[in-house]
Amino acid sequence: MARSSRKQEILQAALACFTEHGVDATTIEMIRDRSGASIGSLYHHFGNRERIIAALYLEGIGEYAALLEAGLVDTLQPEACVKLFVTCYIDWVVANPDWARFILHNRGRVEAGEWGERLREHNRDHGKRIGAVLRRHREAGAFRPMPGDCFVSVVIGPAHDMARNWLAGRSSTALSDCRELLAEIAWDSVRSVPKGKQG
């Protein structure tokens, strides 16, 4: 959360409270006390606690999306393009472990809430932007044929699973130490293999 504003300060305070006390145990008063904002300011910016949760979630996935989209330029080669999905994800998680943990545990809550449509709209828009870059490589035959939603799962799935284990303290290996390996695995999983080299 690079920007410094009252709204951002409230979100940072909320994340600290959620990390320390858990989402369900955190009250609007706790967020008020941690942020130094008035109740009026909290309600002005967000309306209620559930909207703070949703805003924090959307802000987090928006940061990763912006990081990825900034690197996905049209001139990027297919291998670098695929690897960027993994390296951006790992870099963001390592830099923001509490935020990443919050996102991993609250997707269903946000999807089912009043901001669920905002989340779906964000995902659709992000998907269109990255899809436009990937389409050129797919049409050029750089990737093995597979459905688009399968492609994303194959590319990010292993990194996502490793991140979950690392964030939960179940991994003795640092997530950042697996960055290049997971990126290489992602590329090997989706790259088109010449017919003469299959098998």
Side-chain angles (χ1 to χ4, degrees):
M1 294 185 201
R3 298 187 303 278
S4 179
S5 68
R6 174 53 78 190
K7 190 173 181 179
Q8 294 300 316
E9 288 166 2
I10 293 169
L11 290 178
Q12 289 178 22
L15 178 59
C17 289
F18 295 151
T19 301
E20 186 176 336
H21 304 288
V23 173
D24 291 330
T26 296
T27 65
I28 201 87
E29 288 77 19
M30 289 177 180
I31 298 171
R32 176 201 63 197
D33 293 343
R34 181 70 69 103
S35 67
S38 66
I39 285 291
S41 181
L42 284 170
Y43 283 105
H44 168 72
H45 287 295
F46 301 103
N48 58 42
R49 192 181 69 111
E50 288 303 313
R51 288 179 184 171
I52 293 175
I53 292 168
L56 184 62
Y57 185 97
L58 287 169
E59 183 88 4
I61 64 170
E63 276 209 0
Y64 165 68
L67 188 65
L68 177 61
E69 289 176 27
L72 281 177
V73 295
D74 287 337
T75 55
L76 205 61
Q77 294 301 304
E79 179 178 353
C81 196
V82 168
K83 289 182 175 180
L84 190 68
F85 277 85
V86 175
T87 56
C88 278
Y89 176 72
I90 290 176
D91 290 347
W92 191 85
V93 169
V94 169
N96 304 278
D98 291 338
W99 209 355
R101 201 174 288 111
F102 168 84
I103 287 170
L104 285 171
H105 292 129
N106 288 282
R107 177 174 178 169
R109 183 181 199 133
V110 176
E111 283 181 330
E114 63 176 302
W115 280 22
E117 185 51 39
R118 288 194 200 188
L119 172 58
R120 288 183 283 276
E121 183 179 347
H122 163 85
N123 288 338
R124 284 193 297 267
D125 290 345
H126 176 59
K128 287 177 184 176
R129 288 191 292 269
I130 64 174
V133 176
L134 292 174
R135 190 175 302 112
R136 180 171 58 87
H137 297 310
R138 183 176 290 110
E139 290 172 352
F143 306 137
R144 66 177 62 185
M146 67 179 74
D149 47 0
C150 182
F151 181 92
V152 173
S153 294
V154 169
V155 168
I156 206 69
H160 181 70
D161 190 59
M162 182 69 190
R164 289 180 70 94
N165 287 326
W166 179 73
L167 289 167
R170 293 191 296 264
S171 173
S172 58
T173 303
L175 181 59
S176 57
D177 290 347
C178 301
R179 182 180 186 270
E180 303 306 320
L181 173 62
L182 289 167
E184 190 67 39
I185 288 170
W187 170 239
D188 286 343
S189 297
V190 299
R191 69 185 177 91
S192 178
V193 180
K195 290 185 179 180
K197 296 184 179 180
Q198 291 177 348

